[in-house]
Amino acid sequence: MGSVESYFGRLCGKEQEKEEERLFRANDRPFNLSYHYADNAIKTSKYNLFSFLPLNLFEQFRRLANAYFLFLMALQVIPQISSLSWFTTAVPLILVLSITAVKDASDDINRHKSDKQVNNRMVKVLIDGELRNEKWLNVQVGDIIKLENNQFVTADLLLLSSSEPLNLVYVETAELDGETNLKVKQALTVTGDMGDSIDALAGFNGEVRCEPPNNRLDKFKGTLTLDGQTYSLDNDKVLLRGCTLRNTEWCFGVVIFGGPDTKLMQNSGKTTFKRTSIDHLMNVLVLCIFGFLASMCTVLAIGNGIWEVREGSVFTAFLPREQGADAALSSFLSFWSYVIILNTVVPISLYVSVEIIRLGNSFFIDWDRKMYYPKNDTPAQARTTTLNEELGQIKYIFSDKTGTLTQNIMTFNRCSINGKAYGELFDFSGQRVEITEKTARVDFSWNQLADPKFTFHDHSLLETVREGNPEAQAFFRLLALCHTVMPEEKKEGELYYQAQSPDEGALVTAARNFGFVFRSRTPETITAMEMGRTVTYELLAVLDFNNVRKRMSVIVRNPEGKLTLYCKGADTIIFERLHPSCNKLKEATIGHLNEYAGDGLRTLALAYKPLDDSYMDKWRQRHHEASTAMEGREERLDELYEEIEKDLLLLGATAVEDKLQDGVPQTIEQLAKADIKIWVLTGDKQETAENIGYSCNMLREEMREIFVVAANTAEGVKEELQNARRKMCPEAAEEPSVKKARAGLFWLQKTETVQDEKVDGDYGLVINGHSLAFALEKNLQLELLRTACMCQTVICCRVTPLQKAQVVQLVKKYKQAVTLAIGDGANDVSMIKAAHIGVGISGQEGMQAVLSSDYSFAQFRYLQRLLLVHGRWSYLRMCKFLQYFFYKNFTFTFVHFWYAFFCGFSAQTVYDEWFITLYNMVYTALPVLGMSIFDQDVNDRWSFQYPQLYTPGQLNQYFSKKAFVLCMMHSCYSSLILFFIPWAAMHDTVRDDGKDLADYQSFALLAQTCLLIVMNIQLCLDTYYWTAVNHFFIWGSLAAYFAITLTMYSNGMFLIFTSSFPFIGTARNSLNQPNVWLTIFLTSLLCILPVVASRFVFIQLRPTINDKVRQKVRKEALPAPAPRRPPARRISTRRSGYAFSHAQGYGDLVTSRRFLLKLRSRPPLFTQTDSPLALNEPQLYRTIAEDPEESQSP
Amino acid sequence: VTSPRGAFISLFVNFLVELTALATTCRFRAAIMMASSYNAKDEDGHITVSGPGGGTLRSKKPENTAFKQQRLPAWQPILTAGTVLPAFFIIGLLFIPIGIGLFVTSNNIKEFEVDYTGIDMSSPCFNCSQNFSWNSTRPCTCTIPFYLDQPYESNVYVYYGLSNFYQNHRRYVKSRDDSQLNGDVNSLMSPSKECEPYAFHENKPIAPCGAIANSMFNDTLELFYNDPNGTRIPIPLNTTGIAWWTDKHVKFGNPGGNPNLTAAFQGTTKPLNWRRPVYELDADPGNNGFINEDFIVWMRTAALPTFRKLYRIINKKSSMVPTLPRGNYTLEVVYNYPVRSFEGRKRVILSTISWMGGKNPFLGIAYITVGSVCFFLGVVLLIVHHKCGNRNNSADISN
């Protein structure tokens, strides 16, 4: 809607020049007003009370179909042409227009309300030297406003001062970019010094010069001139509308951009309008139909010309010509008359019905309890109601990892201490027991400081620790000391850890629960509660983590004065540095590590080393020198670390589970069975991604090979890709076979399709972001696509958001397949928008992905229900609908075509005009809607049982151009039957009392009754799923037909509206004739028999997967859902590396005095609001219903 | 799975309730999105939201109804050999006897047809057809002798048939004014525009207006039985009872309540091609004016360019004597109606009727054919089913 608004804005204010630079003065309204900057009111609504009717009608008639029907109506007004009364077109058109208008109006009312609600929020504004409460819409550029904690930022502000030290403020930008972590903004010192002094602020007269409004969220350029001094401004000093102030008591800011100029508004409304492939097909078909219509009309017009010359000219005694009309003119007029009569091939109700069906299916998605996630009260939501059937045609899924496949929660799962493994449960026979929600948890209630959310199931570990096992205690002591976690204890005993990576948090929390509670730290000390005893360690050094070292260590002195180095890190790294005495323990631990890795856990090895004081003193000295050295500081430090971290004594290993969301492996397996290819695109590191690939069963040990592409040059990438391809498919041609074709409207669109190539066996491909950048370049992208499509599984890691979109577009472009992107974070937005269908996980990482998505739900596993059940059904229903709808209208129309040969091509209708009016709107509307809203071939559980049922959708098998041609031929046959059987039966026939029966009205009644009955029987044949509603609709519409017909042909109607209902008595006089009914019976049977016979033969000879499953459903009871077997034990030789997803640690900060001081001086930063809903509460700038572009049909 | 029939009604009621609830749900959803403040979160995870209206909402968990969860009980028929094959055989077995019955019935109907257009030189009406003019005052009469080789026992219906006459042409069909024909006085004086160019003549409204009325069939047919001893006995032809009851009594009506039709039609003029005004069509006041049955029959336009219309009825006299005995007859035609210009044909048909109307063997033949085809198809499908069906159906679905 933003675009519309700006469109009108541009229309109205053309002379208004584009803003080149923004200049304003704080606290100087008159000055600022002279520039006519937009104030802070927003307007997302389109209409007001007066402009609604003209604007809305204008909008609606911009749609091709509506305009076409308007044109038809205009034709009907011309008496020479009018073959039908005006109401046959007017009634449906007015109905459609008014329904759309009502929908638009209600949408717009909602927008008005939401605008009003946002505009009327209150904020404190500094006016005339005092703070006043003002509505948001009254805020002007240059005003100084005061924000308080947890308030929404009113407009784009330049931060002046804040309550926090160093003029910092913390903002949450979830609505803007989807990231929930807090961001820090800092004011200039010169303005920050004003603090909250109203006088100083009121006297502030800085002049800001900055860039014009734009939509770049991450950039800002400008200058502040104050007292002759110029300060440069950047993004760090700007608070954007849409953010929320957190953990900051108050702050002051001056408004830079208001309302529509804010970056939030500039960013919204740019949603691209997505259309389904069925839509495209439908457009092409409708165009074909128009062509077909034109040729039919041409044939009939020529026929009319010939008739006029040969018959009409000599028939003038009885039927004089219109004044001045010769054969040519008459033929020309009859062309248009036939355009009117035959327009029913593309009835307006097609578009309306399609929309209704989609809406219905969207509601079913919204209503599905099996896609409702009770934990955070999130039902699935179909945010777009126009894409449903495409859900049944997905071929490629692009998935994000963090938050989508995984929960982004790390849990301490297993550990190996001194060669003994903990964390698994075994039953008496030694079988592994699967751990479920119900398994008894270890009770940590003895520990006051334990985290209640932590769960562990193996009691023996706790017993070991409490018994005082020194290795176990050392193990947890290490976990409690060796990390960079920040503790926060608001109340005594209520501990919060702020860890940089969730892995670390999980390990420290584990230690906390097992009795080694990390409580607080200062730059020099770490205080821990060890089994109820407070111990303060002196922290001598933190040897921080980095990518090369893949380990971190701390050196501490305990109260007894003993110096120890604690080290944790990647197993391979640690094992290289162990003391030879640990060899035996190492073997045992390696065994455990292999097991853990096999289960897809992230492992770490832990080791320690006692140090002696003298060595330590010297080392510290050298460390100090090295860290203050000007040259080669890094290298020197690394050397020092290397020196001290050796001859370590192994303690054991930890295994942290990157918790997958529930049911992810099963979902992936199901989707794979449905022949959907899943690509994981993640920003994570390669190791992590691979790890997840294994744990969710995408990568498997039994795969023939997993190729890793990680070259750093274009040549390298090319070579690796080619090698992989040659290995998989040695006989494949070097050059990809690209099939070029044309598609789309007018065949204007060129398509290139890379053919699928057959590969034996399963392969996997892992490619990292660096290589992907090369691979996505023009000359390599086809190579990438070929290789990737040969593999069962593709994982791209370290991928930027842009690359995600590029990968999606690559597949979209060259595979002509329907793609779906699923993600949860702001980094997935680009791919969600790029893919045919975007799905957002409405989870923890903010709302951005959901806001730009087409469907949203809370758990990845709902995807299988969305696709295999809802998608499949929607596709099936839509295809059945289209097939039936085209059939019903073609048949209806073709009868006119045949009749033309018997009525002198005069555009005489076969049916009563009222029947023509009501046929699509009343008699056949509901039954077909009933079918296409309720139909199911097999129910949801069978759909899950046989995911193969999904494949016909991917291959477009239910409705395609071929199906359309078949459908046309079928209706051609039916119309021939429907015309010529009554023709032959009625020819020269009379009633059983000798009176007329072959008159036009009786024939019309017979033809239309036959038609309607045949259409209903055909629908019965197409309906797989007969609910009460279907019965009601089908029998009801038949009954309604007879009731309405008898009423309209009754005496009363004729006497009241004499000229409108000339068919008086026809129904009574002809429907009581046995030969009329015999004809109806014969006609229906002849139309239906071939259909039944051919369907039966096809079921017998070449049953489709649907037929087979439906047969099976009939014969067998539904098999119980397969018991969830515990995942097969997998012993892997592959070892996960130090898989922390963080980069450089913040060891420096931990030991920095300044950081800690600051930390203490302000209110707690890491409070989590209890209600996740409160965080997710959107500010509602997005459209309530997406704006359809003008190309959309009604 | 068939559900008990009684459940259908309750389900449908449920469906309607849901539909109405739908609108409310939408409004609630908007309310939720609008709500800016959250009051409380219940402990069991159900979230209470206070909307702007102050109402309290449940959690967003969708309702568990069969409709919303798409679990409505349903009957799921499929095409199986068990249903399709018997259906074909039954249809076959049913249709053939019906067809035979229809065919026999149709064949038992006696029908005699004579074309009197007068195309051939030898035809008695050749002369009349040659020199035709609408305004000729002297009627041209021709006599056509014919021989009935079997007696017609029941009522005999006399039809006239026209060929190549486009009564179903769009401009022709609409060229009438139903209000006028129904006796509306306003329409009588100002006929509808649809009647053009036959709405007014010399500034007087034409009654009845329009091309259909104007082209009314106006040949007079008379039938004589030639007694073996040479006398010509005229056969009485009934002029009434030939139009639909609804047409005669509802659709058509004379203007005003005036029994004097001449007065009622005062101020109107006769259609151009007519020789007499509409109120002089018949001497019988119950069959005159717009409710003249010949007129009504003509006004019921035919569906096809070749048609027949009921002209007269020869009522059966007694059960002993055939209505029309075997023998020689003469048809006397007052030849008024020109069809030769457009290569039309005029026929006279004498026909008896049965319960299924006039003679039309088509239905019988069609039923027999369709029945046989059905039977044959049934056999073919049976073979197909036996040869391939079992193999395919028992085949498991590859996973």
Side-chain angles (χ1 to χ4, degrees), chain A residues 5-23:
Chain A
E5 192 190 323
S6 62
Y7 168 75
F8 281 110
R10 252 175 275 139
L11 257 180
C12 306
K14 237 172 211 156
E15 63 280 5
Q16 189 184 330
E17 270 177 37
K18 206 170 172 285
E19 196 177 334
E20 297 259 311
E21 188 188 49
R22 178 156 287 212
L23 171 72

Side-chain angles (χ1 to χ4, degrees), chain B residues 232-271:
Chain B
R232 274 194 359 171
I233 306 166
I235 295 167
L237 301 174
N238 254 359
T239 54
T240 49
I242 57 172
W244 287 9
W245 186 92
T246 44
D247 279 356
K248 174 135 184 163
H249 295 95
V250 184
K251 196 172 182 182
F252 288 82
N254 281 323
N258 198 338
N260 183 356
L261 286 182
T262 320
F265 285 100
Q266 183 91 53
T268 63
T269 179
K270 68 177 174 66

Side-chain angles (χ1 to χ4, degrees), chain A residues 369 906 999-1000 1025 1078 1110, chain B residues 62 72 78 170 300-301 367:
Chain A
R369 276 164 89 86
S906 60
D999 65 299
Y1000 167 71
Y1025 194 78
L1078 283 170
R1110 274 158 60 81
Chain B
L72 287 176
I78 58 173
R170 178 168 59 87
R300 182 153 283 281
T301 54
Y367 266 79

Side-chain angles (χ1 to χ4, degrees), chain A residues 79-83 110 114 117 307-308 311 314-315 317-322 337 363-364 366-369 372 377 379 870 873 877 899 902-904 906-908 934 936-937 946 948 981 983-985 987-996 998-1003 1024-1029 1032 1051 1054 1058 1062 1064-1066 1068-1069 1074-1075 1078-1079 1081-1082 1085-1086 1089 1093 1095-1097 1099-1101 1103 1105 1108-1112 1114 1173 1177 1180, chain B residues 8 11-12 15 22 26 29 33-36 38 47 59-64 67-81 84-85 88 91 95 102 134 157 159 164-166 168-174 178-179 182 197-198 211 215 241-244 246 250-251 273 300-305 308-310 337-338 341-342 347 353-358 360 362-363 366-367 370 374 381 384-385 388-389 392-393 396-399:
Chain A
Q80 283 82 2
I81 289 174
S82 171
S83 43
N110 280 340
S114 108
Q117 191 247 336
W307 188 90
E308 285 291 341
E311 314 263 344
V314 290
F315 196 54
F318 296 123
L319 183 61
R321 281 191 173 148
E322 308 257 355
S337 303
F363 272 116
F364 282 132
D366 291 351
W367 284 334
D368 196 335
R369 276 164 89 86
Y372 167 80
D377 191 36
H870 290 287
W873 282 347
R877 289 165 183 172
Y899 189 56
F902 295 88
C903 69
S906 60
Q908 175 64 17
F934 296 109
Q936 338 184 332
D937 49 351
Y946 294 104
Q948 308 90 300
I981 296 292
W983 173 79
H987 190 250
D988 279 354
T989 301
V990 293
R991 280 154 55 94
D992 57 3
D993 56 2
K995 293 175 190 169
D996 237 345
D999 65 299
Y1000 167 71
Q1001 294 186 339
S1002 304
F1003 184 78
Y1024 286 161
Y1025 194 78
W1026 285 79
T1027 63
V1029 183
F1032 178 80
N1051 303 353
F1054 177 76
T1058 307
I1064 154 89
T1066 312
R1068 272 173 285 168
N1069 282 302
N1075 56 353
L1078 283 170
T1079 311
F1081 193 49
L1082 180 71
L1085 209 75
L1086 271 176
L1089 274 183
R1095 285 196 188 173
F1096 183 72
V1097 167
I1099 289 177
Q1100 299 297 317
L1101 296 182
I1105 177 81
K1108 287 181 185 170
V1109 175
R1110 274 158 60 81
Q1111 294 274 0
K1112 228 180 158 69
R1114 223 180 151 75
L1173 278 170
E1177 155 76 336
L1180 262 201
Chain B
F8 284 162
L11 270 170
F12 177 67
F15 171 74
L22 199 122
C26 295
R29 182 169 304 153
M33 293 180 86
M34 296 291 160
S36 56
Y38 286 85
I47 288 159
S59 88
K60 290 186 226 158
K61 186 168 189 173
E63 275 174 74
N64 190 11
F67 173 70
K68 285 191 176 178
Q69 304 306 318
Q70 306 196 60
R71 280 188 278 105
L72 287 176
W75 173 51
Q76 290 168 277
I78 58 173
L79 294 179
T80 58
V84 174
L85 296 179
F88 271 83
I91 291 171
F95 266 41
L102 286 173
W134 282 109
Y157 296 81
Y159 298 92
N164 211 19
F165 191 99
Y166 283 86
N168 59 357
H169 195 281
R170 178 168 59 87
R171 279 189 283 122
Y172 188 83
V173 169
K174 71 174 186 185
D178 279 319
S179 304
N182 191 35
Y198 298 114
S215 58
I242 57 172
W244 287 9
T246 44
V250 184
K251 196 172 182 182
N273 291 353
R300 182 153 283 281
T301 54
L304 299 165
R308 58 170 69 167
K309 285 183 181 294
L310 187 54
Y337 205 67
S341 64
F342 56 93
R347 294 165 292 154
I353 53 169
S354 69
W355 59 271
M356 55 157 291
N360 188 345
F362 171 79
L363 269 184
Y367 266 79
V370 171
C374 259
L381 293 184
V384 167
H385 174 64
C388 323
N392 274 324
N393 280 340
D396 219 20
I397 303 153
S398 57
N399 261 299

